Amino acid sequence: MNDRMMKAVLYDRYGGPDVLYAGRVPRPEPAHGEVLVKVRAFSVNGGELAARAGRLRLLTGRKFPKRIGLDFTGEVAAPGAGVTRFAAGDRVWGVLGRTSGFGSAAEYVTVPAERVGRLPDGLDLVDAAALPVATTAITALRDKTGLRPGERLLVRGAAGGVGNAAVQLGRAYGAEVTALARAANLDFVRGLGAHKAVDHRTVRPAELGRFDVVLDTVGTDLRAFRHLLNSGGRMVTIAFDLKRPAASLGYLAASTVHGHSRVRFFSGNPTRADFDDLARHVVEGKLSPAVDTVFPLEETAAAHRALEAGGVQGKYVVRVA
């Protein structure tokens, strides 16, 4: 077998999960400042579903085949020139940067060394693949909202990848956490540390009360949730309504006139410092991986199908043999 080639998940047209297949592509080589990582696992993220379905084609274009995969865990196979912090064999996790696109669903990936962090000792590489997106929750609560002990936190989409991390961190930071999730997931989010768990399909936003911080991972009905903020409250979202993208993004832009009660939109773009913080939270017991199901690489389409069906508890993880 040609060792210059590797297995990767590809798709040749936009569509449903069945467009995904395991093909072969050239194995990358690390450039200056990059590391080559032998991937052990990655997780499935909502943004990948939208990209694969063609909802983001204005950004992703029409050149095929395309790749998937945003995050990863694995071992450093080779550090590139200029990299001194990592050596071959180091256990790492990371997220491809905004300019890198997708591509971690593969046997190997190259990534700037600043986008990679060391795994804590004893943390399983497959379980750990549920945690790189937790850096988004850390950024949201630590930097974007400055969550303080004693404040009331509402997490929307609390059973998902970012949401479950936000529930755990909110509790660890000393906030009073209310988690919105499906009825079938309420026990799950309570187990993560939520003080109150609410079925989002049976309670209207106006019935939830008032909050100091709202973290939204869904992207719809943003106006209704912004109205739940106390004076001086802060709201962030990591999503927008993909069925009404222009109206949703327009509202986010217009909300900037509302001062402290505006809705701040951001996407995760973690650096080494964020991964160091993530590792510290894990070591201190503030954050644990929540893995729903592990799929083999050849069944990545099934993982996408499962996430689209809803009801995930934590993350769907794909193991790379």
Side-chain angles (χ1 to χ4, degrees), residues 1-12 21-29 64-68 102-109 297:
M1 184 176 294
N2 187 348
D3 62 5
R4 295 182 180 274
M5 302 294 287
M6 68 173 185
K7 190 179 294 185
V9 180
L10 310 168
Y11 60 104
D12 296 327
Y21 65 94
R24 298 193 67 79
V25 298
R27 173 176 159 173
E29 295 294 333
F64 294 96
K66 295 189 182 299
R67 304 275 297 275
I68 65 165
F102 301 104
S104 66
E107 292 178 310
Y108 291 89
V109 66
L297 183 72

Side-chain angles (χ1 to χ4, degrees), residues 239-271:
F240 59 90
D241 190 346
L242 290 172
K243 294 182 179 179
R244 302 169 58 247
S248 183
L249 291 171
Y251 173 73
L252 288 169
S255 76
T256 58
V257 305
H258 295 293
H260 289 298
S261 64
R262 70 186 176 98
V263 183
R264 294 166 174 82
F265 171 79
F266 80 101
S267 60
N269 196 35
T271 63

